[in-house]
Amino acid sequence: MALLNLQLKDFRNIRHARLVPAAGINLLVGPNGSGKTSVLEAIHYLGFGRSFRTHLTGRVIQQGEQAFTLFARLQRDDDSLPVGLSKTRSGDTRLKVAGRAAERLADLAHILPIQLIHPEGYNLLTGGPKLRRAYLDWGLFYSHAGFFSAWGRFRRLLKQRNALLRQQRPYRELGYWDPQLVAVGEELSSFRQHYAEAIAPVIKTIAADFLPEYDFSFDFFRGWDRQAELARVLEQGFERDLGLGYTQSGPHKAEIRIKARGMPVQDLLSRGQLKLLVCAMRLAQGLYLKSESGQDCIFLIDDFASELDEQKRGLLAARLNELGAQVFISAIDVAQLSQMITRDNSKLFHVKQGEITETQECE
Ligand SMILES: Nc1ncnc2c1ncn2[C@@H]1O[C@H](COP(=O)(O)OP(=O)(O)OP(=O)(O)O)[C@@H](O)[C@H]1O
């Protein structure tokens, strides 16, 4: 999947812009505060239905305006698909896919897989397990058709169980819901286990290039005792859950634990190394998605390439090249990106005070 064109209206400092990006690498260059990240943020909005900088829609809508609107034409096989998303300050969302109103943002997400690589992205490793669960779930959303509905059912059942726990209901009342929670929880967990085992060797291969000094191990924790069945864990933990008012164990606690030299990576690696490992993890998801389903994801790389040394930048460029994915990279100075321009289908855009101009085709 690639964007054939993109239009932004009243998005951050961009009043109106239209881009016809290259199918390969697109460089967005401009001074601080010019609007480079806003372009990436807009593409992210199309794929995720949300920003990676704020959860408040009002922050993204141009000051003084009531709504932002994004349009894109996506390439799909030999065809193209128009999509549109508009959000108002009062919280209304309008979504159109192929000229028809779509109800769920997931409809758009399905056709537009996006990977974001940005300087704060290392919190995937230093932050809580929720982020690593989301990492696994991103992959499952695209590779296992049944995952999204299993995940939705599990969330509803868990919410219900926690509400009963807060009401101090007796175990026999939960007894009605628990078998359903267990069934869907185990289904979810086996999806995750399968994905974690499949993605780990792909990450290791890429990380061996970026960080050859480490050998990483990946350990999937499903969210409850390895030896025990979920039904038993819920039953035995009931009194404690009742005291806490929530369910302490289950797939909602799952995560992937990454170690090197016997230590959790977040305690061992430097910040720069953590960033490289996250970059390897994101590239691995793109590579795996492509190998499994033939689907391309779009890479958004915000202000990151400039942080890499020349050799690492070359490695990143080579991997992106191998993927053949559409890439949008922001930087302050084009010189920081010269090494990224390795493909003939690259374009350079200058961004200045919210105005975007395609300046030249990169050789
Ligand atoms: N809702 C809004 N309405 C209008 N302008 C906004 C809004 N939100 C942010 N801005 C402005 O838009 C610009 C957004 O800049 P953006 O973060 O995209 O810049 P950038 O080119 O990525 O900068 P840097 O290189 O410093 O990261 C900033 O100048 C900011 O003040």
Side-chain angles (χ1 to χ4, degrees), residues 10-14 30-39 41 53 57-64 89 302-303 330-332 351:
D10 297 327
F11 194 92
R12 297 265 189 200
N13 66 334
I14 303 170
N32 288 128
S34 56
K36 306 177 295 291
T37 306
S38 303
V39 177
E41 192 180 22
R53 298 203 278 190
T57 309
R59 298 277 190 274
V60 175
I61 298 169
Q62 181 155 116
Q63 281 172 340
R89 283 193 191 274
D302 188 22
D303 221 8
S330 69
I332 290 175
V351 187

Side-chain angles (χ1 to χ4, degrees), residues 12-77:
R12 297 265 189 200
N13 66 334
I14 303 170
R15 178 158 294 284
H16 186 261
R18 185 168 190 275
L19 282 80
V20 180
I25 292 186
N26 294 282
L27 310 177
L28 297 156
V29 176
N32 288 128
S34 56
K36 306 177 295 291
T37 306
S38 303
V39 177
L40 305 186
E41 192 180 22
I43 301 171
H44 189 277
Y45 234 113
L46 282 173
F48 287 87
R50 61 181 163 78
S51 161
F52 57 84
R53 298 203 278 190
T54 175
H55 60 277
L56 300 172
T57 309
R59 298 277 190 274
V60 175
I61 298 169
Q62 181 155 116
Q63 281 172 340
E65 297 298 333
Q66 289 309 309
F68 75 74
T69 308
L70 305 171
F71 281 115
R73 189 165 278 277
L74 314 179
Q75 190 189 353
R76 198 163 63 166
D77 303 323

